Amino acid sequence: RMAKGRRNKTTKRIIQGNDKAEEKWKSRVNFFWKKKREETDRAYFSDTEVLDQNGNKHKIYSDLLRDNVVVLNFGFSSCKGACPIALKNLKEAFLNKKNDVKNLKILWFSVDARDSVVKLNKLAKQMNLPEKDFYLLTGEQSKINQLISKFGQKENEPESHTNVVFVGNLSTGNWIKSISIRSSKEIVDSISAV
């Protein structure tokens, strides 16, 4: 037992006295914790496949959330109230921050099972939404509802959806709630803060 303790102290002294060895050790530790965090995040958010407005398949965690700064919102294509205002604000915030924030993605999930890829594509064109990194998403409604519940929301009817925007950075673990219909500046500030 004493030999093991001495070896650990010696190893620690060698690592602390050698900048390269210390950096390599820190890198290994950080890699380990990043992998653990990724496993936890993947299990929590799931890798359920969803479709974007162009019919492309994406896995929720692996393709859309991992290593990205994301702005999540929920709505539906035939909404005449809050959704057009929310999409306008999301678009303005995205255009304002896309050059400053690496890997920024807007993820707008439909809460209406009747929203098809065709409907989402039509909405994206009507709103003149950016084609890259701005996703209107649909999929199996039970899976979308599971995702919504991960954010403390419950959707019974599409008309009862929330106006909350969730801005997150899975690399740092930081998340901020904002209101989608207030202003794009509030969303921009939230993006800057995560």
Side-chain angles (χ1 to χ4, degrees):
R1 288 183 181 173
M2 288 181 71
K4 185 177 179 183
R6 285 186 189 141
R7 189 183 70 208
N8 288 341
K9 287 179 184 176
T10 304
T11 304
K12 187 175 180 182
R13 223 177 303 122
I14 291 169
I15 289 174
Q16 286 178 340
N18 182 337
D19 289 340
K20 287 183 182 180
E22 188 171 356
E23 282 302 312
K24 189 174 182 179
W25 180 79
K26 284 181 183 178
S27 174
R28 286 181 179 165
V29 169
N30 288 339
F31 176 79
F32 170 78
W33 286 113
K34 182 180 181 193
K35 284 292 184 195
K36 277 302 234 188
R37 187 175 60 239
E38 283 181 1
E39 290 170 14
T40 303
D41 289 345
R42 181 179 286 109
Y44 185 77
F45 291 109
S46 86
D47 249 345
T48 298
E49 280 193 350
V50 291
L51 296 171
D52 69 19
Q53 67 269 28
N54 298 313
N56 299 316
K57 291 181 182 179
H58 304 277
K59 291 182 179 179
I60 290 176
Y61 176 77
S62 296
D63 299 335
L64 299 173
L65 295 177
R66 183 178 60 198
D67 297 330
N68 293 312
V69 173
V70 294
V71 180
L72 281 86
N73 190 231
F74 306 98
F76 62 105
S77 68
S78 59
C79 175
K80 301 296 182 217
C83 296
I85 297 166
L87 282 169
K88 176 186 157 291
N89 288 341
L90 291 169
K91 175 183 165 183
E92 288 175 6
F94 178 76
L95 294 174
N96 185 303
K97 295 302 286 183
K98 72 176 183 169
N99 293 327
D100 300 335
V101 178
K102 182 182 173 189
N103 298 330
L104 176 62
K105 294 190 184 309
I106 306 294
L107 309 177
W108 189 87
F109 289 90
S110 174
V111 297
D112 189 344
R114 298 167 294 192
D115 273 346
S116 64
V117 169
V118 172
K119 286 183 178 181
L120 295 181
N121 189 280
K122 182 179 175 185
L123 177 61
K125 288 179 180 170
Q126 283 175 343
M127 298 292 297
N128 195 27
L129 299 177
E131 291 184 22
K132 186 176 188 291
D133 295 327
F134 200 111
Y135 301 95
L136 304 184
L137 300 158
T138 189
E140 186 181 326
Q141 201 57 48
S142 64
K143 300 294 185 181
I144 300 289
N145 289 342
Q146 283 177 358
L147 178 66
I148 291 167
S149 71
K150 302 288 183 184
F151 289 92
Q153 308 299 307
K154 188 175 182 183
E155 304 298 335
N156 295 325
E157 296 295 322
E159 293 80 14
S160 67
H161 71 85
T162 179
N163 292 316
V164 176
V165 171
F166 300 91
V167 181
N169 182 337
L170 268 70
S171 295
T172 64
N174 294 332
W175 286 90
I176 295 177
K177 283 186 190 178
S178 187
I179 303 297
S180 63
I181 58 175
R182 282 195 192 143
S183 74
S184 61
K185 184 185 179 326
E186 189 172 315
I187 299 169
V188 166
D189 292 344
S190 296
I191 292 168
S192 298
V194 297

